[in-house]
Amino acid sequence: MRSKSDTSSDGIKLSFRLHTLELRHQFTIASGSRKTTPVIITSLEYGGWTGYGEASMPPYMGESHDTASSFLSTLDLSRFKNPFLFDDILGYVDNHRPGNYAAKAAVDIALHDLYGKISGFPVYRMYGLNPDATPFTSFTIGIDTPEALRQKVSEAGPYRILKVKLGGNNDREMIGVIRSATDKPLCADVNQGWKDKFFALEMAHWLYEKGVIFLEQPLPKEYVEETAWLREKSPIPIIGDEAVRGLADLIKFKDIYSGINVKLMKCGGI
Amino acid sequence: MRSKSDTSSDGIKLSFRLHTLELRHQFTIASGSRKTTPVIITSLEYGGWTGYGEASMPPYMGESHDTASSFLSTLDLSRFKNPFLFDDILGYVDNHRPGNYAAKAAVDIALHDLYGKISGFPVYRMYGLNPDATPFTSFTIGIDTPEALRQKVSEAGPYRILKVKLGGNNDREMIGVIRSATDKPLCADVNQGWKDKFFALEMAHWLYEKGVIFLEQPLPKEYVEETAWLREKSPIPIIGDEAVRGLADLIKFKDIYSGINVKLMKCGGI
């Protein structure tokens, strides 16, 4: 226990502020381009401590500054006089309104930060995890011109794995350019950009030959049977992203996808 | 963090001792009677701290002083220099040998106790739980004579819920005697003692009228279709116990039982 108080009769105080991240490069995926990402920074204050969280809201996920502000404004955490009651606090947040996953995740993250600050322990200790066994993350490269791709591969120097966005009109060229610049493991993410399962299967074989280790959301999320067919025949795993949001989706799609892209902004927190 | 050291270059030291609990009353269930229960007390020492755990091994679960001693003797926890790496430590214990669930649970419990002692926090805080919302536990009354039943109901004064063992030759008489002595909620546990689904359904209706809130493992664990049939028609929930041990059983029987009796000794720990 640190020196400040770990009790407060006023309960937990939530506040937030809006911010817009300016991207260094325009970022293009199958469904569109952007140069900014809206985020919300959350703070939870309790007994002299402050925990911080963040909601990142890429537009294709359906949340925005407006929806997150509206959701967070109606949360009353002052009723919680003990910040360690995760089950109660996050249960209240989850049940307060449906959806709003990124906003919920921003509260969840701030609560974990507050836990760490009050207890003096890193959060991985709470979950009994070994920090030396943390998996590597990947650096994402959007759809772009050959010159820009080469520049981005060079900027991704510290990352061991690259994720390449496909589903534009130059998929093979993009992989070719990136492969000529690096032999790092690649993942391919189509963001639902292909509409034909035969084309997707042909691409899966071609990507396998190019050293791509998995193929993410190649077909629209509604193409359930087509995706099962593709997974059955594909030489590389087919990973679900947009199709799988909460636990119910996980159960529904367990035999359709080989694996899932788990994102805190999608499922509401840790 | 308390004042003793939370590091040790010697790693975690496991020791254990055997003990036999003498029961106040003979305890009878459908499969047999006993007056003792073998237990093993485990200790995990680390950095001057000691955490304690316990394995309780009622004979019908298949573990004993011998099997648990044999399992625990071959565990080497000295390789773990940090007791907070639950994932690594318990992963090693789980994968060391199949089975031995009670012995594994005794290590798991001692590790949680050690966590609490070193961190200075109760374990419920690790899991973000509200201690004021702890569910009530039940007091179990074995198969017995009317006089003994009345005595046991009287000794169970502090408990809000009673669990009655059935599957002997005086099921209706037992419930009648207990009901005449108390109006507390009752659960009925048959421990696989009934062999006929029609009889089980008749009893389920009769028990429902007597204010029994659920019926546990009425049929042998191999009677899968019969249990599904019973659950479909029963006015009270059918709970699985002996049939459901680990996660794989949970998935296998998810549509067969209404719910599950979760025991640390059955599934290897928290």
Side-chain angles (χ1 to χ4, degrees), chain A residues 18-43:
Chain A
L18 309 178
H19 189 64
T20 299
L21 293 180
E22 305 283 338
L23 307 182
R24 189 183 302 169
H25 303 286
Q26 172 159 299
F27 184 70
T28 301
I29 64 173
S31 58
S33 293
R34 67 179 200 273
K35 279 222 64 171
T36 60
T37 299
V39 299
I40 277 191
I41 311 292
T42 50
S43 323

Side-chain angles (χ1 to χ4, degrees), chain A residues 1 6 82 84-88 115 118-121 124-131 133, chain B residues 1 6 82 84-88 115 118-121 124-131 133:
Chain A
M1 196 74 57
D6 77 333
N82 175 341
F84 296 109
L85 302 182
F86 278 45
D87 215 37
D88 292 358
Y115 163 93
I118 297 178
S119 69
F121 297 143
Y124 63 74
R125 181 187 263 194
M126 178 176 181
Y127 293 107
L129 300 172
N130 184 349
Chain B
M1 196 73 60
D6 79 331
N82 175 341
F84 297 109
L85 302 181
F86 278 45
D87 215 38
D88 292 358
Y115 164 93
I118 296 178
S119 68
F121 296 143
Y124 63 73
R125 181 186 264 196
M126 178 177 180
Y127 293 107
L129 301 173
N130 183 350

Side-chain angles (χ1 to χ4, degrees), chain B residues 66-234:
Chain B
D66 280 354
T67 63
S69 300
S70 159
F71 176 79
L72 295 174
S73 301
T74 61
L75 284 179
D76 174 19
L77 301 184
S78 68
R79 67 179 71 186
F80 296 106
K81 310 299 183 195
N82 175 341
F84 297 109
L85 302 181
F86 278 45
D87 215 38
D88 292 358
I89 299 169
L90 297 175
Y92 161 73
V93 172
D94 279 343
N95 293 320
H96 186 61
R97 283 190 193 172
N100 294 287
Y101 294 103
K104 288 171 179 172
V107 176
D108 177 288
I109 294 166
L111 191 64
H112 280 84
D113 189 39
L114 189 65
Y115 164 93
K117 284 169 172 165
I118 296 178
S119 68
F121 296 143
V123 167
Y124 63 73
R125 181 186 264 196
M126 178 177 180
Y127 293 107
L129 301 173
N130 183 350
D132 298 330
T134 308
F136 293 106
T137 187
S138 62
F139 181 86
T140 297
I141 296 183
I143 296 171
D144 226 318
T145 61
E147 303 74 50
L149 291 173
R150 275 187 279 266
Q151 170 66 19
K152 287 177 178 176
V153 169
S154 134
E155 288 173 12
Y159 294 87
R160 299 199 183 195
I161 306 170
L162 303 182
K163 180 185 276 193
V164 184
K165 295 290 191 181
L166 298 182
N169 52 20
N170 61 342
D171 289 344
R172 289 182 189 240
E173 182 190 28
M174 278 189 55
I175 295 289
V177 168
I178 293 170
R179 242 318 149 243
S180 73
T182 179
D183 58 1
K184 288 177 181 174
L186 302 181
C187 316
D189 184 2
V190 187
N191 291 109
Q192 316 182 69
W194 297 335
K195 312 298 177 193
D196 178 325
K197 69 178 182 181
F198 297 103
F199 176 75
L201 181 59
E202 186 191 319
M203 286 299 291
H205 279 284
W206 186 81
L207 291 168
Y208 172 64
E209 285 167 22
K210 297 294 172 186
V212 168
I213 57 179
F214 69 69
L215 177 57
E216 185 172 330
Q217 201 67 59
L219 298 166
K221 60 183 178 182
E222 300 79 12
Y223 285 34
V224 177
E225 278 178 39
E226 290 86 344
T227 302
W229 177 91
L230 175 63
R231 176 199 174 175
E232 173 80 19
K233 296 178 166 46
S234 169

Side-chain angles (χ1 to χ4, degrees), chain B residues 12-86:
Chain B
I12 299 171
K13 180 173 168 243
L14 166 68
S15 50
F16 61 89
R17 60 190 177 81
L18 310 178
H19 189 64
T20 300
L21 293 181
E22 307 280 339
L23 307 183
R24 189 182 302 168
H25 303 285
Q26 172 160 297
F27 184 70
T28 301
I29 64 172
S31 59
S33 291
R34 67 180 200 274
K35 279 223 61 168
T36 61
T37 299
V39 299
I40 277 191
I41 310 293
T42 51
S43 321
L44 292 183
E45 288 173 60
Y46 182 90
W49 299 100
T50 305
Y52 296 101
E54 179 179 346
S56 170
M57 295 165 290
Y60 64 95
M61 298 301 285
E63 288 182 78
S64 66
H65 276 162
D66 280 354
T67 63
S69 300
S70 159
F71 176 79
L72 295 174
S73 301
T74 61
L75 284 179
D76 174 19
L77 301 184
S78 68
R79 67 179 71 186
F80 296 106
K81 310 299 183 195
N82 175 341
F84 297 109
L85 302 181
F86 278 45

Side-chain angles (χ1 to χ4, degrees), chain A residues 24-25 137-141 148-163 178 182 184 186:
Chain A
R24 189 183 302 169
H25 303 286
T137 188
S138 62
F139 181 86
T140 297
I141 296 183
L149 292 174
R150 274 186 281 266
Q151 171 67 18
K152 287 177 179 176
V153 169
S154 136
E155 289 173 11
Y159 294 86
R160 299 199 183 195
I161 307 170
L162 303 182
K163 179 184 277 192
I178 292 170
T182 179
K184 289 177 181 174
L186 302 181

